[in-house]
Amino acid sequence: MIRFDGVSKRYSNGHEALCELSFEIQSGEMVFLTGRSGAGKSTLLKLIMLMERPTEGQVFVRRKNLSRIKGNDVAHHRRKVGVVFQNHQLLFDRSVFDNVALPLQIAGFQPRELARRVRAALDKVDLLHKERQNPIALSGGEQQRVGIARAVVNKPPLLLADEPTGNLDPGLSADIMRLFKQFNDVGVTVMIASHDIALIRRMQRRVLTLADGQLIHDGVLDRENIAV
Amino acid sequence: MKTSPSRRHPPEARPGTRTGASQSKTRIADKLRAYGAHHRSVALESLRRLLRTPMQSMLTWLVVAIALALPAMLYLALAQFQNLSETWQTQPRMSVFLHLQAREEAALQLREELLRRNEIASIDYVSPDQALQEFEQFSGLGNVLDTLDNNPLPAVLVVHPTPDHSAPDQLEQLRSTLLTQTLVDDVRLDMDWVRRLHQIMIIGQRLVAAMAALLAMGVLLVVGNTIRLAIESRREEIVIVKLVGATNAFVRRPFLYTGFWYGFGGGLLAWLLLTAGVYWLAGPVAGLAELYSSGLRLQGLNWWESLTILFGSGLLGLLGAALAVGKHLHSIEPT
């Protein structure tokens, strides 16, 4: 699903965010990405989203070389990748329903099919009863679930999340993780960047640990590896 | 737009089976329908957005309307004047001044002779006495003329050429033939002032065109700047829709429609201003025309000109928005 091949990313201010990074993620995997802030987690996700381009090396998503994707194809690539952000990135000038409908509007869905899919996605995150509300009236956990509904409404084969539980208390965080796991169970490849080690350890999934732009650990975390 | 399978298949094909081609055709039709619906909803949403801030939108509309109404008003006035001068221009006439010594019988005989020419429609004879009377009437110098011993005015033949022979070079030719007559002293073609007027009108037209171009540029800049501000205020939204896979065209579309509505609304207001203005002036102009016993009537915009104003300004708004969008939108990328 995702392959990094000797990827380095140097920003114009000289900061080297990623250094010769190589790894592969199979279709249907659920992978955590961890490391201290500044270790390169966000940069890695941005490369997959084509928000940034690598300085060296190549990134493949669904066997496609991302360096060959340009212009409008960038938009089409993003439609196949669902993203959940730490700060939700919701629009407060429209209802929950319209926020979730956004990717479908962009993809040009017919109104009836669009409504059906939006309701299905809202049902999955248990917010169907709040579709008419403005997201600003929702709690942090609910807002995050709206963000997740928006990320999955177009049924992308790949779901990325950048610190999706960053602002939430442990109980809500566990709920959110359970949601991601449900999507993974139906075949969606999931990649979650998080520094919540306790939570990650509990999930018992593959973990990629970054430090200073390099991969220092790849595998399921056991209890002795807490120090990272 | 569903294609029935029987039309695409030979008759022996099983009914109800659909070819890949017809299937993809329906899919394209679906896409087109969805695309049309999307355009409609974006257009309406942009309009609704403008109406949600009525004062702010009205200001822009007024600026656009004034910038458009000004040249349109001058254009109307000029067109009116041109109509008027064209009715004059179709009736050229020549004043043929006879020698002072010419006797009346000779003058009338010349008139008869000239009337036989097919390029002349009619000739009015104005005797020296008549000319003097007219002069007294119109100049108000009657008392001064009384002091003169004899009438200094010559007899005049006012020649009206037929419409077929009213082109400037034909008139010139007629003039030189008339000049060869022994009785004729001078021939004045009453065309010079019409020509001058014509030139003045060309200048007027160019001035109106230049002014319209400048003001159109103003509209472009006003709409462009308003759209730039709209883009700035929706920066966050642009970033988000780009993140969830919006193409540049998708992001551009609402702003282009907004620009169109700014232009179209301004055009509508300009049209209202003009129509009200014409209505307001029509009475006095008709009165004035009556005093000059002229058929001049103030005319408003015809439907073609109205449509041109509405959609022309809509197009101007669209163009202004396109300029702003082209300049500012690509700098907004998710980071």
mmCIF file of all heavy atoms in Angstrom, chain B residues 191-237:
data_model
loop_
_atom_site.group_PDB
_atom_site.id
_atom_site.type_symbol
_atom_site.label_atom_id
_atom_site.label_comp_id
_atom_site.label_asym_id
_atom_site.label_seq_id
_atom_site.Cartn_x
_atom_site.Cartn_y
_atom_site.Cartn_z
ATOM 1 N N MET B 191 -24.203 70.730 -46.654
ATOM 2 C CA MET B 191 -23.766 69.448 -46.104
ATOM 3 C C MET B 191 -22.616 69.622 -45.125
ATOM 4 O O MET B 191 -22.325 68.743 -44.331
ATOM 5 C CB MET B 191 -23.299 68.524 -47.240
ATOM 6 C CG MET B 191 -24.425 67.904 -48.014
ATOM 7 S SD MET B 191 -25.243 66.665 -47.031
ATOM 8 C CE MET B 191 -23.939 65.452 -46.883
ATOM 9 N N ASP B 192 -21.938 70.774 -45.252
ATOM 10 C CA ASP B 192 -20.707 70.935 -44.478
ATOM 11 C C ASP B 192 -20.940 70.754 -42.991
ATOM 12 O O ASP B 192 -20.212 70.039 -42.313
ATOM 13 C CB ASP B 192 -20.107 72.322 -44.744
ATOM 14 C CG ASP B 192 -19.577 72.404 -46.165
ATOM 15 O OD1 ASP B 192 -19.597 71.343 -46.836
ATOM 16 O OD2 ASP B 192 -19.166 73.483 -46.596
ATOM 17 N N TRP B 193 -21.992 71.398 -42.509
ATOM 18 C CA TRP B 193 -22.220 71.312 -41.061
ATOM 19 C C TRP B 193 -22.603 69.894 -40.651
ATOM 20 O O TRP B 193 -22.275 69.438 -39.573
ATOM 21 C CB TRP B 193 -23.263 72.331 -40.631
ATOM 22 C CG TRP B 193 -24.643 72.019 -41.127
ATOM 23 C CD1 TRP B 193 -25.159 72.361 -42.335
ATOM 24 C CD2 TRP B 193 -25.643 71.288 -40.439
ATOM 25 N NE1 TRP B 193 -26.433 71.900 -42.459
ATOM 26 C CE2 TRP B 193 -26.761 71.231 -41.299
ATOM 27 C CE3 TRP B 193 -25.711 70.686 -39.188
ATOM 28 C CZ2 TRP B 193 -27.930 70.586 -40.943
ATOM 29 C CZ3 TRP B 193 -26.882 70.055 -38.841
ATOM 30 C CH2 TRP B 193 -27.980 69.996 -39.708
ATOM 31 N N VAL B 194 -23.291 69.182 -41.578
ATOM 32 C CA VAL B 194 -23.634 67.798 -41.266
ATOM 33 C C VAL B 194 -22.371 66.968 -41.149
ATOM 34 O O VAL B 194 -22.218 66.140 -40.251
ATOM 35 C CB VAL B 194 -24.563 67.223 -42.346
ATOM 36 C CG1 VAL B 194 -24.765 65.726 -42.131
ATOM 37 C CG2 VAL B 194 -25.895 67.931 -42.323
ATOM 38 N N ARG B 195 -21.437 67.253 -42.105
ATOM 39 C CA ARG B 195 -20.161 66.521 -42.040
ATOM 40 C C ARG B 195 -19.422 66.835 -40.757
ATOM 41 O O ARG B 195 -18.863 65.954 -40.118
ATOM 42 C CB ARG B 195 -19.284 66.911 -43.239
ATOM 43 C CG ARG B 195 -19.746 66.265 -44.506
ATOM 44 C CD ARG B 195 -18.566 66.023 -45.422
ATOM 45 N NE ARG B 195 -19.091 65.743 -46.752
ATOM 46 C CZ ARG B 195 -19.001 66.605 -47.763
ATOM 47 N NH1 ARG B 195 -18.349 67.743 -47.620
ATOM 48 N NH2 ARG B 195 -19.515 66.308 -48.921
ATOM 49 N N ARG B 196 -19.425 68.120 -40.397
ATOM 50 C CA ARG B 196 -18.728 68.504 -39.162
ATOM 51 C C ARG B 196 -19.354 67.788 -37.975
ATOM 52 O O ARG B 196 -18.666 67.236 -37.128
ATOM 53 C CB ARG B 196 -18.825 70.023 -38.963
ATOM 54 C CG ARG B 196 -17.754 70.762 -39.706
ATOM 55 C CD ARG B 196 -17.849 72.256 -39.473
ATOM 56 N NE ARG B 196 -17.513 72.946 -40.706
ATOM 57 C CZ ARG B 196 -18.249 73.873 -41.266
ATOM 58 N NH1 ARG B 196 -19.380 74.271 -40.713
ATOM 59 N NH2 ARG B 196 -17.854 74.444 -42.387
ATOM 60 N N LEU B 197 -20.681 67.797 -37.999
ATOM 61 C CA LEU B 197 -21.388 67.128 -36.911
ATOM 62 C C LEU B 197 -20.998 65.652 -36.860
ATOM 63 O O LEU B 197 -20.764 65.081 -35.792
ATOM 64 C CB LEU B 197 -22.900 67.255 -37.138
ATOM 65 C CG LEU B 197 -23.764 66.788 -35.982
ATOM 66 C CD1 LEU B 197 -23.612 67.712 -34.792
ATOM 67 C CD2 LEU B 197 -25.226 66.703 -36.397
ATOM 68 N N HIS B 198 -20.912 65.089 -38.045
ATOM 69 C CA HIS B 198 -20.552 63.675 -38.145
ATOM 70 C C HIS B 198 -19.185 63.428 -37.506
ATOM 71 O O HIS B 198 -18.996 62.482 -36.741
ATOM 72 C CB HIS B 198 -20.530 63.285 -39.623
ATOM 73 C CG HIS B 198 -20.428 61.819 -39.839
ATOM 74 N ND1 HIS B 198 -21.398 60.946 -39.427
ATOM 75 C CD2 HIS B 198 -19.456 61.069 -40.411
ATOM 76 C CE1 HIS B 198 -21.039 59.723 -39.740
ATOM 77 N NE2 HIS B 198 -19.855 59.766 -40.339
ATOM 78 N N GLN B 199 -18.232 64.313 -37.831
ATOM 79 C CA GLN B 199 -16.893 64.176 -37.267
ATOM 80 C C GLN B 199 -16.931 64.320 -35.742
ATOM 81 O O GLN B 199 -16.295 63.564 -35.013
ATOM 82 C CB GLN B 199 -15.946 65.232 -37.854
ATOM 83 C CG GLN B 199 -15.472 64.919 -39.262
ATOM 84 C CD GLN B 199 -14.845 63.546 -39.362
ATOM 85 O OE1 GLN B 199 -14.060 63.155 -38.511
ATOM 86 N NE2 GLN B 199 -15.210 62.800 -40.404
ATOM 87 N N ILE B 200 -17.694 65.331 -35.303
ATOM 88 C CA ILE B 200 -17.789 65.557 -33.859
ATOM 89 C C ILE B 200 -18.347 64.307 -33.185
ATOM 90 O O ILE B 200 -17.893 63.887 -32.121
ATOM 91 C CB ILE B 200 -18.689 66.779 -33.566
ATOM 92 C CG1 ILE B 200 -17.944 68.060 -33.981
ATOM 93 C CG2 ILE B 200 -19.048 66.841 -32.078
ATOM 94 C CD1 ILE B 200 -18.791 69.295 -33.897
ATOM 95 N N MET B 201 -19.302 63.691 -33.897
ATOM 96 C CA MET B 201 -19.915 62.511 -33.307
ATOM 97 C C MET B 201 -18.935 61.346 -33.249
ATOM 98 O O MET B 201 -18.948 60.561 -32.293
ATOM 99 C CB MET B 201 -21.139 62.113 -34.097
ATOM 100 C CG MET B 201 -22.283 61.963 -33.170
ATOM 101 S SD MET B 201 -23.767 62.754 -33.692
ATOM 102 C CE MET B 201 -23.966 62.126 -35.287
ATOM 103 N N ILE B 202 -18.088 61.238 -34.267
ATOM 104 C CA ILE B 202 -17.074 60.176 -34.235
ATOM 105 C C ILE B 202 -16.157 60.382 -33.030
ATOM 106 O O ILE B 202 -15.823 59.445 -32.301
ATOM 107 C CB ILE B 202 -16.274 60.148 -35.547
ATOM 108 C CG1 ILE B 202 -17.190 59.631 -36.667
ATOM 109 C CG2 ILE B 202 -15.044 59.270 -35.424
ATOM 110 C CD1 ILE B 202 -16.543 59.618 -38.016
ATOM 111 N N ILE B 203 -15.785 61.674 -32.838
ATOM 112 C CA ILE B 203 -14.944 61.971 -31.676
ATOM 113 C C ILE B 203 -15.683 61.586 -30.396
ATOM 114 O O ILE B 203 -15.128 60.959 -29.490
ATOM 115 C CB ILE B 203 -14.571 63.470 -31.647
ATOM 116 C CG1 ILE B 203 -13.668 63.793 -32.839
ATOM 117 C CG2 ILE B 203 -13.874 63.826 -30.341
ATOM 118 C CD1 ILE B 203 -13.397 65.269 -33.005
ATOM 119 N N GLY B 204 -16.971 61.952 -30.353
ATOM 120 C CA GLY B 204 -17.779 61.623 -29.181
ATOM 121 C C GLY B 204 -17.818 60.133 -28.930
ATOM 122 O O GLY B 204 -17.634 59.685 -27.799
ATOM 123 N N GLN B 205 -18.008 59.383 -30.012
ATOM 124 C CA GLN B 205 -18.065 57.930 -29.876
ATOM 125 C C GLN B 205 -16.769 57.384 -29.305
ATOM 126 O O GLN B 205 -16.757 56.520 -28.436
ATOM 127 C CB GLN B 205 -18.329 57.288 -31.233
ATOM 128 C CG GLN B 205 -19.799 57.163 -31.540
ATOM 129 C CD GLN B 205 -20.048 56.823 -32.991
ATOM 130 O OE1 GLN B 205 -19.127 56.857 -33.813
ATOM 131 N NE2 GLN B 205 -21.285 56.511 -33.294
ATOM 132 N N ARG B 206 -15.655 57.925 -29.845
ATOM 133 C CA ARG B 206 -14.365 57.425 -29.362
ATOM 134 C C ARG B 206 -14.161 57.761 -27.895
ATOM 135 O O ARG B 206 -13.634 56.968 -27.133
ATOM 136 C CB ARG B 206 -13.229 58.033 -30.192
ATOM 137 C CG ARG B 206 -13.345 57.617 -31.633
ATOM 138 C CD ARG B 206 -12.039 57.220 -32.220
ATOM 139 N NE ARG B 206 -12.303 56.589 -33.498
ATOM 140 C CZ ARG B 206 -11.483 56.644 -34.527
ATOM 141 N NH1 ARG B 206 -10.353 57.291 -34.426
ATOM 142 N NH2 ARG B 206 -11.788 56.039 -35.642
ATOM 143 N N LEU B 207 -14.590 58.987 -27.517
ATOM 144 C CA LEU B 207 -14.452 59.371 -26.112
ATOM 145 C C LEU B 207 -15.267 58.438 -25.225
ATOM 146 O O LEU B 207 -14.789 57.994 -24.181
ATOM 147 C CB LEU B 207 -14.915 60.816 -25.915
ATOM 148 C CG LEU B 207 -13.903 61.871 -26.342
ATOM 149 C CD1 LEU B 207 -14.485 63.260 -26.156
ATOM 150 C CD2 LEU B 207 -12.618 61.742 -25.533
ATOM 151 N N VAL B 208 -16.511 58.149 -25.681
ATOM 152 C CA VAL B 208 -17.351 57.248 -24.899
ATOM 153 C C VAL B 208 -16.705 55.875 -24.802
ATOM 154 O O VAL B 208 -16.664 55.260 -23.738
ATOM 155 C CB VAL B 208 -18.764 57.130 -25.518
ATOM 156 C CG1 VAL B 208 -19.531 55.992 -24.866
ATOM 157 C CG2 VAL B 208 -19.523 58.427 -25.339
ATOM 158 N N ALA B 209 -16.136 55.420 -25.930
ATOM 159 C CA ALA B 209 -15.506 54.098 -25.931
ATOM 160 C C ALA B 209 -14.318 54.072 -24.970
ATOM 161 O O ALA B 209 -14.145 53.127 -24.195
ATOM 162 C CB ALA B 209 -15.062 53.728 -27.340
ATOM 163 N N ALA B 210 -13.502 55.148 -25.017
ATOM 164 C CA ALA B 210 -12.328 55.202 -24.148
ATOM 165 C C ALA B 210 -12.760 55.223 -22.681
ATOM 166 O O ALA B 210 -12.201 54.514 -21.835
ATOM 167 C CB ALA B 210 -11.498 56.441 -24.463
ATOM 168 N N MET B 211 -13.797 56.026 -22.415
ATOM 169 C CA MET B 211 -14.301 56.131 -21.058
ATOM 170 C C MET B 211 -14.852 54.777 -20.601
ATOM 171 O O MET B 211 -14.591 54.352 -19.471
ATOM 172 C CB MET B 211 -15.421 57.154 -21.056
ATOM 173 C CG MET B 211 -15.753 57.680 -19.727
ATOM 174 S SD MET B 211 -16.751 59.119 -20.061
ATOM 175 C CE MET B 211 -17.616 59.251 -18.600
ATOM 176 N N ALA B 212 -15.601 54.136 -21.502
ATOM 177 C CA ALA B 212 -16.175 52.832 -21.156
ATOM 178 C C ALA B 212 -15.058 51.840 -20.851
ATOM 179 O O ALA B 212 -15.145 51.066 -19.894
ATOM 180 C CB ALA B 212 -17.049 52.316 -22.290
ATOM 181 N N ALA B 213 -13.977 51.892 -21.652
ATOM 182 C CA ALA B 213 -12.871 50.962 -21.433
ATOM 183 C C ALA B 213 -12.231 51.211 -20.069
ATOM 184 O O ALA B 213 -11.946 50.278 -19.316
ATOM 185 C CB ALA B 213 -11.838 51.110 -22.536
ATOM 186 N N LEU B 214 -12.020 52.505 -19.745
ATOM 187 C CA LEU B 214 -11.408 52.835 -18.452
ATOM 188 C C LEU B 214 -12.289 52.387 -17.298
ATOM 189 O O LEU B 214 -11.823 51.789 -16.331
ATOM 190 C CB LEU B 214 -11.174 54.346 -18.360
ATOM 191 C CG LEU B 214 -9.941 54.855 -19.083
ATOM 192 C CD1 LEU B 214 -9.858 56.365 -18.974
ATOM 193 C CD2 LEU B 214 -8.690 54.224 -18.477
ATOM 194 N N LEU B 215 -13.594 52.675 -17.433
ATOM 195 C CA LEU B 215 -14.495 52.320 -16.338
ATOM 196 C C LEU B 215 -14.656 50.809 -16.233
ATOM 197 O O LEU B 215 -14.799 50.275 -15.133
ATOM 198 C CB LEU B 215 -15.841 53.014 -16.520
ATOM 199 C CG LEU B 215 -15.754 54.520 -16.230
ATOM 200 C CD1 LEU B 215 -16.983 55.255 -16.721
ATOM 201 C CD2 LEU B 215 -15.563 54.767 -14.745
ATOM 202 N N ALA B 216 -14.618 50.123 -17.385
ATOM 203 C CA ALA B 216 -14.681 48.655 -17.353
ATOM 204 C C ALA B 216 -13.477 48.113 -16.587
ATOM 205 O O ALA B 216 -13.587 47.181 -15.792
ATOM 206 C CB ALA B 216 -14.721 48.095 -18.764
ATOM 207 N N MET B 217 -12.316 48.755 -16.821
ATOM 208 C CA MET B 217 -11.118 48.351 -16.091
ATOM 209 C C MET B 217 -11.334 48.569 -14.598
ATOM 210 O O MET B 217 -10.927 47.748 -13.766
ATOM 211 C CB MET B 217 -9.935 49.185 -16.568
ATOM 212 C CG MET B 217 -8.621 48.519 -16.371
ATOM 213 S SD MET B 217 -7.840 48.269 -17.941
ATOM 214 C CE MET B 217 -7.024 49.842 -18.104
ATOM 215 N N GLY B 218 -11.992 49.709 -14.282
ATOM 216 C CA GLY B 218 -12.311 49.989 -12.886
ATOM 217 C C GLY B 218 -13.164 48.887 -12.286
ATOM 218 O O GLY B 218 -12.899 48.414 -11.182
ATOM 219 N N VAL B 219 -14.184 48.466 -13.050
ATOM 220 C CA VAL B 219 -15.068 47.386 -12.572
ATOM 221 C C VAL B 219 -14.241 46.129 -12.324
ATOM 222 O O VAL B 219 -14.371 45.461 -11.299
ATOM 223 C CB VAL B 219 -16.176 47.100 -13.606
ATOM 224 C CG1 VAL B 219 -16.915 45.818 -13.255
ATOM 225 C CG2 VAL B 219 -17.151 48.262 -13.668
ATOM 226 N N LEU B 220 -13.363 45.839 -13.286
ATOM 227 C CA LEU B 220 -12.502 44.662 -13.179
ATOM 228 C C LEU B 220 -11.698 44.702 -11.871
ATOM 229 O O LEU B 220 -11.605 43.707 -11.142
ATOM 230 C CB LEU B 220 -11.542 44.679 -14.370
ATOM 231 C CG LEU B 220 -11.316 43.389 -15.123
ATOM 232 C CD1 LEU B 220 -12.623 42.882 -15.680
ATOM 233 C CD2 LEU B 220 -10.330 43.632 -16.254
ATOM 234 N N LEU B 221 -11.134 45.879 -11.585
ATOM 235 C CA LEU B 221 -10.291 46.004 -10.390
ATOM 236 C C LEU B 221 -11.124 45.935 -9.119
ATOM 237 O O LEU B 221 -10.732 45.298 -8.140
ATOM 238 C CB LEU B 221 -9.511 47.319 -10.432
ATOM 239 C CG LEU B 221 -8.465 47.390 -11.537
ATOM 240 C CD1 LEU B 221 -7.792 48.748 -11.551
ATOM 241 C CD2 LEU B 221 -7.427 46.294 -11.354
ATOM 242 N N VAL B 222 -12.297 46.582 -9.151
ATOM 243 C CA VAL B 222 -13.153 46.573 -7.955
ATOM 244 C C VAL B 222 -13.576 45.144 -7.631
ATOM 245 O O VAL B 222 -13.433 44.676 -6.496
ATOM 246 C CB VAL B 222 -14.395 47.460 -8.180
ATOM 247 C CG1 VAL B 222 -15.443 47.175 -7.120
ATOM 248 C CG2 VAL B 222 -14.006 48.919 -8.147
ATOM 249 N N VAL B 223 -14.082 44.448 -8.665
ATOM 250 C CA VAL B 223 -14.513 43.064 -8.430
ATOM 251 C C VAL B 223 -13.315 42.202 -8.040
ATOM 252 O O VAL B 223 -13.389 41.398 -7.105
ATOM 253 C CB VAL B 223 -15.224 42.493 -9.672
ATOM 254 C CG1 VAL B 223 -15.522 41.013 -9.470
ATOM 255 C CG2 VAL B 223 -16.512 43.241 -9.935
ATOM 256 N N GLY B 224 -12.200 42.407 -8.723
ATOM 257 C CA GLY B 224 -10.996 41.631 -8.426
ATOM 258 C C GLY B 224 -10.574 41.801 -6.976
ATOM 259 O O GLY B 224 -10.262 40.832 -6.283
ATOM 260 N N ASN B 225 -10.617 43.046 -6.505
ATOM 261 C CA ASN B 225 -10.192 43.308 -5.137
ATOM 262 C C ASN B 225 -11.168 42.706 -4.134
ATOM 263 O O ASN B 225 -10.765 42.142 -3.117
ATOM 264 C CB ASN B 225 -10.072 44.818 -4.912
ATOM 265 C CG ASN B 225 -9.313 45.140 -3.656
ATOM 266 O OD1 ASN B 225 -8.250 44.577 -3.435
ATOM 267 N ND2 ASN B 225 -9.869 45.989 -2.829
ATOM 268 N N THR B 226 -12.467 42.821 -4.453
ATOM 269 C CA THR B 226 -13.476 42.234 -3.553
ATOM 270 C C THR B 226 -13.284 40.727 -3.468
ATOM 271 O O THR B 226 -13.370 40.141 -2.389
ATOM 272 C CB THR B 226 -14.887 42.561 -4.078
ATOM 273 O OG1 THR B 226 -14.937 43.954 -4.395
ATOM 274 C CG2 THR B 226 -15.932 42.256 -3.041
ATOM 275 N N ILE B 227 -13.007 40.109 -4.612
ATOM 276 C CA ILE B 227 -12.804 38.666 -4.633
ATOM 277 C C ILE B 227 -11.530 38.296 -3.870
ATOM 278 O O ILE B 227 -11.480 37.297 -3.163
ATOM 279 C CB ILE B 227 -12.727 38.156 -6.088
ATOM 280 C CG1 ILE B 227 -14.068 38.350 -6.794
ATOM 281 C CG2 ILE B 227 -12.310 36.697 -6.135
ATOM 282 C CD1 ILE B 227 -15.198 37.528 -6.223
ATOM 283 N N ARG B 228 -10.514 39.142 -3.994
ATOM 284 C CA ARG B 228 -9.267 38.877 -3.271
ATOM 285 C C ARG B 228 -9.544 38.817 -1.764
ATOM 286 O O ARG B 228 -9.063 37.932 -1.054
ATOM 287 C CB ARG B 228 -8.250 39.983 -3.568
ATOM 288 C CG ARG B 228 -6.890 39.755 -2.944
ATOM 289 C CD ARG B 228 -5.957 40.905 -3.268
ATOM 290 N NE ARG B 228 -6.410 42.169 -2.688
ATOM 291 C CZ ARG B 228 -6.211 42.520 -1.418
ATOM 292 N NH1 ARG B 228 -5.564 41.712 -0.604
ATOM 293 N NH2 ARG B 228 -6.654 43.676 -0.951
ATOM 294 N N LEU B 229 -10.343 39.780 -1.292
ATOM 295 C CA LEU B 229 -10.694 39.786 0.129
ATOM 296 C C LEU B 229 -11.494 38.540 0.495
ATOM 297 O O LEU B 229 -11.286 37.947 1.559
ATOM 298 C CB LEU B 229 -11.509 41.044 0.462
ATOM 299 C CG LEU B 229 -10.727 42.344 0.348
ATOM 300 C CD1 LEU B 229 -11.640 43.530 0.595
ATOM 301 C CD2 LEU B 229 -9.567 42.354 1.334
ATOM 302 N N ALA B 230 -12.419 38.148 -0.417
ATOM 303 C CA ALA B 230 -13.225 36.950 -0.151
ATOM 304 C C ALA B 230 -12.325 35.724 -0.052
ATOM 305 O O ALA B 230 -12.513 34.861 0.814
ATOM 306 C CB ALA B 230 -14.258 36.765 -1.255
ATOM 307 N N ILE B 231 -11.320 35.658 -0.924
ATOM 308 C CA ILE B 231 -10.390 34.525 -0.892
ATOM 309 C C ILE B 231 -9.639 34.504 0.437
ATOM 310 O O ILE B 231 -9.507 33.467 1.091
ATOM 311 C CB ILE B 231 -9.392 34.608 -2.069
ATOM 312 C CG1 ILE B 231 -10.123 34.361 -3.388
ATOM 313 C CG2 ILE B 231 -8.270 33.596 -1.897
ATOM 314 C CD1 ILE B 231 -9.251 34.573 -4.606
ATOM 315 N N GLU B 232 -9.182 35.698 0.853
ATOM 316 C CA GLU B 232 -8.443 35.778 2.121
ATOM 317 C C GLU B 232 -9.311 35.289 3.281
ATOM 318 O O GLU B 232 -8.857 34.526 4.137
ATOM 319 C CB GLU B 232 -7.998 37.218 2.384
ATOM 320 C CG GLU B 232 -6.656 37.582 1.762
ATOM 321 C CD GLU B 232 -5.593 36.528 1.991
ATOM 322 O OE1 GLU B 232 -5.413 36.090 3.149
ATOM 323 O OE2 GLU B 232 -4.951 36.104 1.009
ATOM 324 N N SER B 233 -10.586 35.727 3.271
ATOM 325 C CA SER B 233 -11.442 35.389 4.406
ATOM 326 C C SER B 233 -11.836 33.914 4.387
ATOM 327 O O SER B 233 -12.323 33.394 5.382
ATOM 328 C CB SER B 233 -12.680 36.275 4.423
ATOM 329 O OG SER B 233 -13.546 35.901 3.379
ATOM 330 N N ARG B 234 -11.655 33.246 3.260
ATOM 331 C CA ARG B 234 -12.021 31.831 3.197
ATOM 332 C C ARG B 234 -10.790 30.950 3.022
ATOM 333 O O ARG B 234 -10.886 29.815 2.553
ATOM 334 C CB ARG B 234 -13.004 31.605 2.050
ATOM 335 C CG ARG B 234 -14.345 32.259 2.335
ATOM 336 C CD ARG B 234 -15.261 32.212 1.150
ATOM 337 N NE ARG B 234 -15.759 30.869 0.897
ATOM 338 C CZ ARG B 234 -16.582 30.576 -0.104
ATOM 339 N NH1 ARG B 234 -16.984 31.501 -0.919
ATOM 340 N NH2 ARG B 234 -16.998 29.341 -0.288
ATOM 341 N N ARG B 235 -9.652 31.477 3.406
ATOM 342 C CA ARG B 235 -8.388 30.759 3.251
ATOM 343 C C ARG B 235 -8.427 29.378 3.902
ATOM 344 O O ARG B 235 -8.045 28.374 3.301
ATOM 345 C CB ARG B 235 -7.279 31.613 3.878
ATOM 346 C CG ARG B 235 -5.918 30.982 3.917
ATOM 347 C CD ARG B 235 -4.920 31.939 4.532
ATOM 348 N NE ARG B 235 -4.382 32.871 3.546
ATOM 349 C CZ ARG B 235 -3.299 32.606 2.813
ATOM 350 N NH1 ARG B 235 -2.675 31.465 2.965
ATOM 351 N NH2 ARG B 235 -2.854 33.471 1.939
ATOM 352 N N GLU B 236 -8.950 29.356 5.127
ATOM 353 C CA GLU B 236 -8.996 28.107 5.892
ATOM 354 C C GLU B 236 -9.825 27.054 5.146
ATOM 355 O O GLU B 236 -9.428 25.895 5.017
ATOM 356 C CB GLU B 236 -9.615 28.411 7.252
ATOM 357 C CG GLU B 236 -9.456 27.323 8.268
ATOM 358 C CD GLU B 236 -10.338 27.582 9.485
ATOM 359 O OE1 GLU B 236 -11.070 28.595 9.486
ATOM 360 O OE2 GLU B 236 -10.313 26.786 10.407
ATOM 361 N N GLU B 237 -10.973 27.519 4.640
ATOM 362 C CA GLU B 237 -11.861 26.617 3.916
ATOM 363 C C GLU B 237 -11.181 26.076 2.653
ATOM 364 O O GLU B 237 -11.288 24.890 2.329
ATOM 365 C CB GLU B 237 -13.131 27.394 3.547
ATOM 366 C CG GLU B 237 -14.134 26.559 2.790
ATOM 367 C CD GLU B 237 -15.320 27.394 2.332
ATOM 368 O OE1 GLU B 237 -15.473 28.522 2.833
ATOM 369 O OE2 GLU B 237 -16.069 26.914 1.475
#
